[in-house]
Amino acid sequence: MKRAAVYTRVSTVDQHLETQLLDLRQMAAQRGLEIIQEYSDKISGVKARRPGLDQLMTDARRGKFDVALVWASDRLARSVKHFLEVLDELNRLGIEYVSLRENIDTGGPLGRAIIVIVAAIAELERSLIVERVRAGMRRAKLDGTHIGRNPLILDHESIHRERCQGQSIRQIAKGHRISTATVQRVLHRHASTPQEKVA
């Protein structure tokens, strides 16, 4: 028997979670699913934080159930993008998604086709984000804006001189505000540089 998790949400005070729960419990019984946990939120659809959904996704990652049952897809996610993200993650975790109102079941052939489409859209979205970031970096570079850390400017002679005067590598690093590894690298490079012969 597959383990199922039920998620319900209402957004206004005159709606009742019990209506959704009764339908989902009945569907679980018809499908021979064992409901191991019921998650719910009473919150506006546009609100980002949903404790019930957050806990459902946490338990999904822990492998606590095999099927996620929802009354309707718009109950699950706050936006199309969020819905795609949730569905994509459930698919990667090997968890079936079943929506009562839309009659979506990712365990069946049509549902699996929907998952392929969802995964493709999610991948496209990720690619577009990466491309936008890269385009922004290219534009900033053309405008002369420096991207990344500022180059480290070292006073090699001063570091070598202080070492010759008996200062420890830690003291030199602290004085120049650099790491001890950087100090060692500078000293090693200086030592391996051929010294000019005095005529």
Side-chain angles (χ1 to χ4, degrees):
M1 183 178 285
K2 289 185 178 181
R3 302 162 300 161
V6 166
Y7 177 74
T8 56
R9 178 181 68 81
V10 291
S11 55
T12 57
V13 292
D14 60 340
Q15 290 181 320
H16 301 285
L17 288 171
E18 197 60 32
T19 303
Q20 297 178 28
L21 284 170
L22 286 172
D23 288 342
L24 292 173
R25 288 168 184 163
Q26 184 179 3
M27 182 171 67
Q30 290 171 348
R31 291 170 174 250
L33 301 172
E34 177 193 4
I35 296 177
I36 55 101
Q37 186 72 40
E38 293 177 348
Y39 308 84
S40 62
D41 285 313
K42 290 184 180 182
I43 196 166
S44 169
V46 297
K47 291 286 182 75
R49 179 153 173 73
R50 297 184 183 185
L53 180 59
D54 292 344
Q55 188 58 53
L56 179 140
M57 295 307 295
T58 297
D59 288 346
R61 295 177 194 112
R62 292 172 178 166
K64 289 191 174 183
F65 54 87
D66 311 298
V67 184
L69 303 178
V70 301
W71 192 75
S73 295
D74 65 352
R75 300 291 89 193
L76 179 73
R78 60 183 178 271
S79 66
V80 174
K81 181 183 177 184
H82 184 222
F83 173 68
L84 293 174
E85 289 172 350
V86 171
L87 208 53
D88 189 39
E89 182 167 7
L90 289 175
N91 180 52
R92 284 189 285 106
L93 294 169
I95 295 172
E96 294 175 24
Y97 170 81
V98 179
S99 174
L100 175 66
R101 194 172 68 182
E102 293 92 2
N103 197 25
I104 295 174
D105 181 354
T106 61
L110 180 58
R112 284 193 289 272
I114 290 172
I115 280 294
V116 171
I117 295 169
V118 165
I121 293 171
E123 180 61 31
L124 175 62
E125 176 67 19
R126 284 191 289 267
S127 298
L128 289 173
I129 290 171
V130 169
E131 185 52 40
R132 282 197 294 269
V133 170
R134 286 177 178 167
M137 291 175 69
R138 285 195 298 270
R139 169 53 55 192
K141 192 172 181 180
L142 288 171
D143 291 342
T145 304
H146 176 73
I147 299 171
R149 294 188 302 178
N150 289 323
L152 192 61
I153 300 173
L154 300 172
D155 186 345
H156 292 246
E157 292 303 321
S158 178
I159 291 171
H160 180 69
R161 185 170 59 254
E162 289 167 10
R163 183 60 172 162
C164 290
Q165 291 171 350
Q167 287 192 37
S168 69
I169 289 175
R170 189 179 296 276
Q171 288 173 325
I172 297 170
K174 188 175 180 181
H176 289 264
R177 294 183 179 179
I178 56 177
S179 68
T180 54
T182 301
V183 174
Q184 290 173 330
R185 193 162 55 248
V186 170
L187 293 172
H188 176 74
R189 191 175 300 151
H190 193 280
S192 60
T193 302
Q195 302 296 315
E196 292 183 6
K197 292 183 179 181
V198 180

